[in-house]
Amino acid sequence: MSKAFETLAARDAASICHTYARYPLAVAHGRGSRLYDLDGNEYIDLLSGIAVTSLGHAHPEIVETMAEQAARLTHTCNLLYHAEGPALAEKLLATCYAGKVFFANSGAEANEGAIKLARRYMRTIKEREAYEIVTLQGSFHGRTLATLTATGQDKIKDGFAPLPEGFVTVPFNDPDALAAAVTDRTAAVMVEMVQGEIGVRPLSEEFVAALEELRRKHGFLLIVDEVQTGLCRTGKFWAHQHYGITPDIFTAAKPLANGLPMGAVLMCEEAARGFAPGSHGTTFGGGPLLCAVAAKVLDIMQRDHLAQRAAELGLYLGGLLEELRQDMPDKVAEIRGLGLMIGVELAVPGKPVWEELLKRGFIVNLVGERVLRLLPPLIIEQQDLELFALALGAILRKA
Ligand SMILES: Cc1ncc(COP(=O)(O)O)c(C=O)c1O
């Protein structure tokens, strides 16, 4: 490790409250699908800041939009109108059947807003004492108190009791467990179509069919957390579109403004009745700078057919990885995912493989002990994916 890295890491350790297990890498700048460290070494970014920089780093049109808008108007607060707000909302709503959007600052905050909306809709519109939110084991919904309670992973909740009431977690992809958990008190069932943080696990068609049946029977709302899966990542604009369902509420965040902090709660017109002036709010959410950048992100995604590109590149990379699995079934257990959201479950310990990939200039994420999670920018070139598969193959052959 270089002197420059060690000095920076020491300053970081001395001054920043440590809640992250950081990688031994300090980034100085980036361009497209490449990142460069303090010593000028180049890396292929297969993480995209955890599914955020879908358009890559320093995208020239995003840089230009950011600079132009910053020079005109950055913040107004939500007491004032600005044209950038509805311009973005209209573009977002044109990608789906939702009727309204609320702008938040992050994924957790968007999910918190979705939970609040479901509860308030049940109380004020349906006049029902239905407040429970049912979620799935292995899910990840954020780090606020409500969203970490909704999250189906005990380690995320450790030390934070007492947790808010009214959350129930059921086993993943288990229709019977869901049927047993849903009652008249259920305000909403909240799911990710593909769970990311636990190692890239898609919901089964069978589970989604059972969920839809229960939704019709009990009248709860369906919330889909599309914070990681949304905006072209899985090969469709929204991951729920793979399953042909129409959630009442769904959330977006990570790639929405390609790295500026922004979230969104999208809702059908009926669910939108649950919020009224004064019932929810945020100072920064939906400011003109964020909206202008996000609108440009959506324009580029559509113009450059990035959903289709994610689907095609996902198939290509999935195929290369599947070949590795067939060559080395003792090293690779399973390839899972949708589009450019791919999990490689190893049959050998993941840490040495992940470390060797980083040494060879490939940034990927290791979730748990054995799953390499791949979330490359949607603009990545096919040959970079090939270089990655070659490197992974070479490392696994020696593992
Ligand atoms: C599915 C999902 N929901 C919610 C969140 C929380 O988003 P944020 O970190 O922006 O609060 C994440 C972040 O990883 C996520 O992957």
Side-chain angles (χ1 to χ4, degrees):
M1 240 155 285
S2 75
K3 183 88 190 118
F5 173 79
E6 273 168 16
T7 308
L8 177 60
R11 282 175 56 211
D12 188 287
S15 58
I16 293 181
C17 172
H18 269 233
T19 63
Y20 304 102
R22 292 203 207 274
Y23 296 4
L25 173 63
V27 177
H29 62 102
R31 184 126 205 121
S33 59
R34 296 291 196 280
L35 283 171
Y36 299 86
D37 71 12
L38 301 180
D39 304 303
N41 299 309
E42 184 180 89
Y43 295 80
I44 296 184
D45 182 7
L46 294 145
L47 178 59
S48 309
I50 319 185
V52 170
T53 46
S54 281
L55 304 185
H57 302 283
H59 190 293
E61 288 170 272
I62 296 296
V63 173
E64 193 188 343
T65 303
M66 225 184 266
E68 264 178 17
Q69 184 63 41
R72 192 164 48 241
L73 187 66
T74 299
H75 177 77
T76 55
C77 92
N78 281 306
L79 298 178
L80 310 182
Y81 291 94
H82 58 80
E84 288 76 12
L88 170 62
E90 286 158 10
K91 283 180 203 280
L92 264 178
L93 296 177
T95 64
C96 56
Y97 67 89
K100 291 277 187 307
V101 57
F102 174 88
F103 293 123
N105 304 296
S106 66
E109 219 187 305
N111 287 336
E112 185 94 16
I115 293 166
K116 286 176 70 178
L117 176 61
R119 284 188 171 175
R120 201 169 187 283
Y121 172 80
M122 285 298 175
R123 286 251 159 73
T124 60
I125 306 297
K126 291 291 189 193
E127 299 181 343
R128 285 177 49 195
E129 259 312 286
Y131 55 83
E132 269 179 10
I133 308 294
V134 178
T135 62
L136 304 187
Q137 272 170 15
S139 59
F140 184 78
H141 297 299
R143 301 281 191 162
T144 63
L145 273 178
T147 57
L148 74 82
T149 308
T151 291
Q153 298 181 57
D154 288 344
K155 65 172 196 244
I156 305 284
K157 305 177 203 218
D158 185 37
F160 297 119
L163 299 175
E165 282 176 34
F167 291 85
V168 179
T169 304
V170 298
F172 180 72
N173 265 347
D174 183 338
D176 296 336
L178 181 66
V182 167
T183 68
D184 289 347
R185 289 189 308 279
T186 308
V189 173
M190 178 161 164
V191 298
E192 296 148 87
M193 303 316 294
V194 184
Q195 289 188 342
E197 302 296 304
I198 199 76
V200 189
R201 298 195 301 186
L203 284 186
S204 70
E205 296 277 354
E206 185 205 359
F207 179 81
V208 175
L211 169 57
E212 285 291 84
E213 185 62 40
L214 290 166
R215 181 180 172 205
R216 274 190 291 276
K217 188 162 149 207
H218 290 276
F220 57 76
L221 299 182
L222 173 60
I223 302 175
V224 177
D225 175 344
E226 294 254 19
V227 166
Q228 190 166 146
T229 54
L231 298 145
C232 305
R233 167 66 48 194
T234 66
K236 288 201 185 281
F237 210 91
W238 303 102
H240 67 258
Q241 292 167 340
H242 287 282
Y243 293 77
I245 57 169
T246 52
D248 302 284
I249 304 171
F250 58 102
T251 54
K254 288 174 177 287
L256 185 51
N258 206 55
L260 296 187
M262 184 173 210
V265 188
L266 293 112
M267 59 200 87
C268 66
E269 288 286 0
E270 175 59 20
R273 295 171 65 211
F275 276 163
S279 57
H280 193 48
T282 159
T283 297
F284 296 114
L289 176 63
L290 296 162
C291 286
V293 171
K296 187 51 109 179
V297 168
L298 292 193
D299 285 348
I300 295 170
M301 284 183 165
Q302 265 151 349
R303 183 196 67 199
D304 297 348
H305 308 290
L306 291 189
Q308 199 185 331
R309 187 179 167 84
E312 287 165 8
L313 289 178
L315 275 181
Y316 174 76
L317 179 56
L320 296 180
L321 296 169
E322 189 52 37
E323 277 172 28
L324 291 183
R325 193 192 65 75
Q326 281 168 16
D327 274 7
M328 293 177 272
D330 53 328
K331 310 271 175 71
V332 183
E334 196 185 10
I335 311 298
R336 300 186 290 264
L338 266 182
L340 281 177
M341 180 173 184
I342 297 181
V344 182
E345 178 149 3
L346 300 174
V348 291
K351 184 113 187 277
V353 178
W354 170 83
E355 276 171 350
E356 188 55 31
L357 279 167
L358 193 60
K359 272 194 208 142
R360 294 184 186 210
F362 297 94
I363 302 173
V364 304
N365 180 222
L366 179 66
V367 282
E369 306 281 303
R370 286 174 190 249
V371 182
L372 299 175
R373 178 172 51 159
L374 310 177
L375 297 160
L378 308 182
I379 49 90
I380 196 164
E381 294 298 335
Q382 183 168 307
Q383 71 216 39
D384 289 342
L385 300 176
E386 192 184 347
L387 286 175
F388 166 72
L390 282 172
L392 180 61
I395 293 166
L396 286 176
R397 255 171 225 110
K398 287 201 209 146

